[in-house]
Structure formats: structure tokens, C-alpha cells
Amino acid sequence: GEDVEQSLFLSVREGDSSVINCTYTDSSSTYLYWYKQEPGAGLQLLTYIFSNMDMKQDQRLTVLLNKKDKHLSLRIADTQTGDSAIYFCAEKDFNKFYFGSGTKLNVKP
Amino acid sequence: KAGVTQTPRYLIKTRGQQVTLSCSPISGHRSVSWYQQTPGQGLQFLFEYFSETQRNKGNFPGRFSGRQFSNSRSEMNVSTLELGDSALYLCASSPGQFYSGANVLTFGAGSRLTVL
């Protein structure tokens, strides 16, 4: 199957920017996604990007896609304690979704 | 618009028992996918149903099965439970059509299964 990799942990201070990285192996991915999971909850879609785009911005979120290197990143500006959660990247190939293992973001006050 | 509803939210079973989990998708969504989430293995794909047919399947043993009804509601069943089946089981629905753009998955809150 396809391989989606993320680092497991990231710790930042409130007010700083957070950058969560993801690499994937499937060059035929059509869409790539970022989901957020808060404790005790399911996954909530944050944003997604079409594979022919390089960047997408949505308020405090910026997604960068380097298709050549198969690298996806999520930048959260002005990180708040409420952003503490697990962040999953995912890719879609045809109608199958492949998820990374999740990056746990800890925001220190 | 109601979200994805999973029942029960929590359950405790003992080894050897079987369990059935239910998922009601967003109205109009025809695809339902199931995932197992554990701390060690992350999010593992179980199977996907579309219009009452299993369309995709992950690498789980035959003890894990599912079905989808004509109203798109889905159930998954795990027989002969093992300790390692303790996990959060997540259901996600989507419109499900091929080539339908992003075809975003919308997740339920999950069913947390504990096997003793």
C-alpha cells in the first residue's frame, strides 16, 4: 500500500508558528488532506489541496505541496492552546485514502 | 445537516465475544469506510462500502466483517474478540462517487472498544 509518514510529536509555544510535515510515496495522488483529532473525538477535516496546486491558504492555515519531493506541510500561524491535537495528513489515490500516523502537537502557554 | 453517527460510543467486551458497531452516514452519502485507531498502529483502514457492496478492503483477518444497508447505514462486526482488538473504531462517510473531486471523508466520533 501507499506510505504516508509524519513525525510523531511537535511542541511549540503559544503565539509561535507550527509546521507539521508529511511525506508520501504515491505520485498519482489527486488530493491531499489535513485532519485534526482532539481527545476523545473523531477526525475533523481542516483543509485539502488538489495535487496540481503548490499552496493553499485558509485563515491561519497554510498548506504547501512539493509534488516533486512528495512533501506536504501544514503551517499554523499564531498557534493557540486550542490547537493542541493530533494532526493527520492523508492522500487520495483513485478512491482510496491513506493516512499518516499523526503528529501530536503540544502548545505550551 | 446531521453528521456521522456511531453507536455505541463505548463498550467493554471479554475475549471470545463478538461485537457489532453501527454507523449512520451523512444523508446523501453512499460510501462508508471503517478505520481502526490504536496508539501503536495509527489509523488502519478496514473496509469501504458503497451502495451495499464492499468496494475496498484493508489487511485485517476474516474476523472483521461489515455490511451496508439500502439506506447507506453500515455495521461492522468483530467475532472472537482478542485483547489486541481494543481500539477506537472510526466510521467515515463520503459522497463516494469516483472522480467526484475531493470526495472528503467526514468522520464520526468513534466507538471505543475495550476487550478484557
Side-chain angles (χ1 to χ4, degrees):
Chain A
E2 278 39 314
D3 211 8
V4 180
E5 293 192 356
Q6 303 177 238
S7 52
L8 291 180
F9 299 102
L10 176 65
S11 184
V12 300
R13 292 214 171 271
E14 192 174 20
D16 289 348
S17 291
S18 307
V19 179
I20 303 171
N21 294 302
C22 171
T23 58
Y24 60 96
T25 57
D26 185 6
S27 57
S28 60
S29 295
T30 53
Y31 287 88
L32 296 116
Y33 307 78
W34 284 103
Y35 281 85
K36 175 184 180 182
Q37 185 180 36
E38 296 179 347
L43 275 66
Q44 171 196 357
L45 177 72
L46 286 177
T47 187
Y48 63 88
I49 187 168
F50 186 45
S51 58
N52 70 352
M53 296 171 64
D54 299 323
M55 186 182 88
K56 181 178 180 181
Q57 189 152 5
D58 184 0
Q59 298 181 7
R60 291 190 298 123
L61 305 179
T62 303
V63 177
L64 294 177
L65 174 60
N66 182 328
K67 199 171 180 182
K68 174 176 167 290
D69 294 338
K70 299 190 184 69
H71 183 266
L72 181 74
S73 68
L74 174 69
R75 179 177 179 270
I76 305 173
D78 187 25
T79 313
Q80 303 297 306
T81 54
D83 294 325
S84 291
I86 301 176
Y87 291 80
F88 292 89
C89 69
E91 59 169 343
K92 184 176 87 133
D93 174 21
F94 201 45
N95 222 39
K96 291 185 180 181
F97 290 83
Y98 301 92
F99 284 84
S101 53
T103 299
K104 187 169 185 177
L105 175 64
N106 178 44
V107 182
K108 293 180 278 191
Chain B
K1 199 175 190 182
V4 178
T5 304
Q6 291 189 245
T7 57
R9 287 293 315 278
Y10 303 92
L11 65 167
I12 300 173
K13 293 284 187 179
T14 56
R15 279 180 297 175
Q17 287 188 311
Q18 67 95 24
V19 66
T20 299
L21 309 177
S22 178
C23 174
S24 293
I26 288 175
S27 177
H29 283 189
R30 294 166 63 189
S31 168
V32 173
S33 300
W34 289 90
Y35 292 84
Q36 182 195 65
Q37 185 179 20
T38 58
Q41 299 294 319
L43 212 63
Q44 301 285 313
F45 172 70
L46 282 153
F47 27 65
E48 182 219 359
Y49 287 86
F50 178 77
S51 292
E52 301 179 67
T53 300
Q54 187 180 86
R55 187 161 68 174
N56 290 305
K57 188 176 186 303
N59 296 323
F60 277 80
R63 299 186 297 108
F64 292 81
S65 62
R67 59 178 176 167
Q68 187 179 33
F69 303 94
S70 58
N71 62 357
S72 293
R73 189 177 72 85
S74 176
E75 288 181 347
M76 67 162 281
N77 182 276
V78 188
S79 62
T80 320
L81 284 165
E82 300 176 359
L83 295 178
D85 296 333
S86 293
L88 180 67
Y89 289 88
L90 292 165
C91 160
S93 76
S94 73
Q97 309 292 345
F98 287 124
Y99 307 115
S100 63
N103 205 25
V104 167
L105 294 177
T106 303
F107 283 82
S111 293
R112 183 164 296 281
L113 170 65
T114 302
V115 182
L116 302 176

